[in-house]
Amino acid sequence: MCLEGNNSMKKQISVAMTALALAIMLAACGGNDSGANKTPANTPANTESSAGADNAATGQQLTIEATNFEFDKDEYIVKQGEPVTITLKSVKGNHGISINNTDINLKRNESVEYTFDAPGEYQIVCNIPCGNGHAKMVSKVVVQ
């Protein structure tokens, strides 16, 4: 009789721990967003310069916004051979990014200056597990 009660309690604890782990994973990114505000894929990245910034007035600025299981654009366009300041903004949830074939790894609200020497497409992935939609968090930098 004592063993049956012990097994039942173990099951209850196991179920509670599983539910807690699932809740934490889902809370990392929040709810699912419809993507209605997503910029079309052929729209260039933000290349405006800010006066008075440390970066040269003509430097490229690339801001990547991460929300619930998606980035704000399907692709970001930059110029080959010109420095670009890349900034990650986590709008909803906790996100980081890696850009394949580079050494770029950014956490929430970090920036880095980088020069893409070769034209092509560089995949952007979320590098912080953020819940069920994490695998869908993919975009790309197109270097022209």
Side-chain angles (χ1 to χ4, degrees):
M1 179 134 183
C2 185
L3 288 177
E4 287 179 21
N6 198 13
N7 284 338
S8 176
M9 183 174 282
K10 284 182 182 179
K11 283 183 182 180
Q12 288 176 343
I13 290 172
S14 177
V15 169
M17 295 298 287
T18 302
L20 179 61
L22 181 60
I24 290 171
M25 284 182 4
L26 291 175
C29 275
N32 194 4
D33 192 3
S34 68
N37 295 326
K38 202 166 201 174
T39 304
N42 60 357
T43 302
N46 176 10
T47 56
E48 296 175 10
S49 61
S50 55
D54 290 338
N55 197 18
T58 59
Q60 299 179 89
Q61 302 290 320
L62 171 58
T63 301
I64 300 169
E65 293 186 3
T67 59
N68 297 328
F69 311 125
E70 65 184 0
F71 297 109
D72 61 321
K73 296 183 182 184
D74 293 321
E75 66 181 35
Y76 305 87
I77 300 171
V78 298
K79 294 179 183 176
Q80 174 190 353
E82 294 183 15
V84 57
T85 301
I86 302 169
T87 303
L88 172 64
K89 288 189 179 179
S90 278
V91 178
K92 292 182 184 176
N94 185 24
H95 305 283
I97 61 166
S98 295
I99 301 179
N100 292 352
N101 301 316
T102 72
D103 59 355
I104 299 172
N105 287 296
L106 297 176
K107 295 178 186 170
R108 144 190 295 201
N109 303 323
E110 287 185 337
S111 295
V112 66
E113 186 173 290
Y114 189 83
T115 301
F116 290 91
D117 294 323
E121 295 183 356
Y122 297 78
Q123 186 178 47
I124 303 169
V125 296
C126 179
N127 60 10
I128 296 177
C130 57
N132 290 336
H134 173 71
K136 296 184 222 174
M137 286 197 69
V138 178
S139 186
K140 62 184 166 185
V141 174
V142 178
V143 180
Q144 299 177 334

